[in-house]
Amino acid sequence: MGKRTKKVGITGKYGTRYGSTLRKLVRKIEISQHSTYRCAFCGKDTVKRNCVGIWGCKSCKKVIAGGAYTLSTASAVTVRSTIGRLRKIQSEAP
């Protein structure tokens, strides 16, 4: 069976509707939400999206709260690093 879509990928289901720019944005989101991510607990690439913001590891059965379309959002990474930096400063203080 040959390759069905050359450029549009997963958004081929929308046909010519909605405009190319919107389809490109949706393509990026749908690829990220359907892909598998690495589990922080067991280290395997088995974390998949269950529903909006709920991610589950198929291997160790852990459930993780994350972003709507990706496991970890950019703002969550920033908050995590800021909290770690503040904890380090607090522990060094006399």
Side-chain angles (χ1 to χ4, degrees):
M1 198 163 143
K3 192 174 178 183
R4 288 179 288 218
T5 60
K6 188 174 184 180
K7 296 179 183 177
V8 293
I10 197 169
T11 54
K13 61 187 175 185
Y14 299 120
T16 58
R17 298 180 295 273
Y18 314 115
S20 64
T21 307
L22 290 176
R23 286 196 313 269
K24 286 174 190 171
L25 290 171
V26 169
R27 180 170 141 209
K28 188 176 83 167
I29 290 170
E30 286 191 3
I31 287 172
S32 66
Q33 83 179 29
H34 291 125
S35 62
T36 57
Y37 291 88
R38 179 153 297 168
C39 180
F41 300 100
C42 66
K44 296 180 181 174
D45 289 327
T46 54
V47 178
K48 286 196 63 94
R49 180 179 186 258
N50 293 340
C51 59
V52 180
I54 308 296
W55 298 80
C57 179
K58 304 281 186 197
S59 177
C60 64
K61 307 287 192 247
K62 294 270 188 186
V63 178
I64 305 160
Y69 307 118
T70 58
L71 180 60
S72 182
T73 60
S75 59
V77 172
T78 306
V79 167
R80 203 175 300 124
S81 66
T82 304
I83 290 173
R85 182 175 48 81
L86 292 173
R87 279 192 181 145
K88 183 179 174 187
I89 291 171
Q90 190 177 21
S91 66
E92 290 175 355

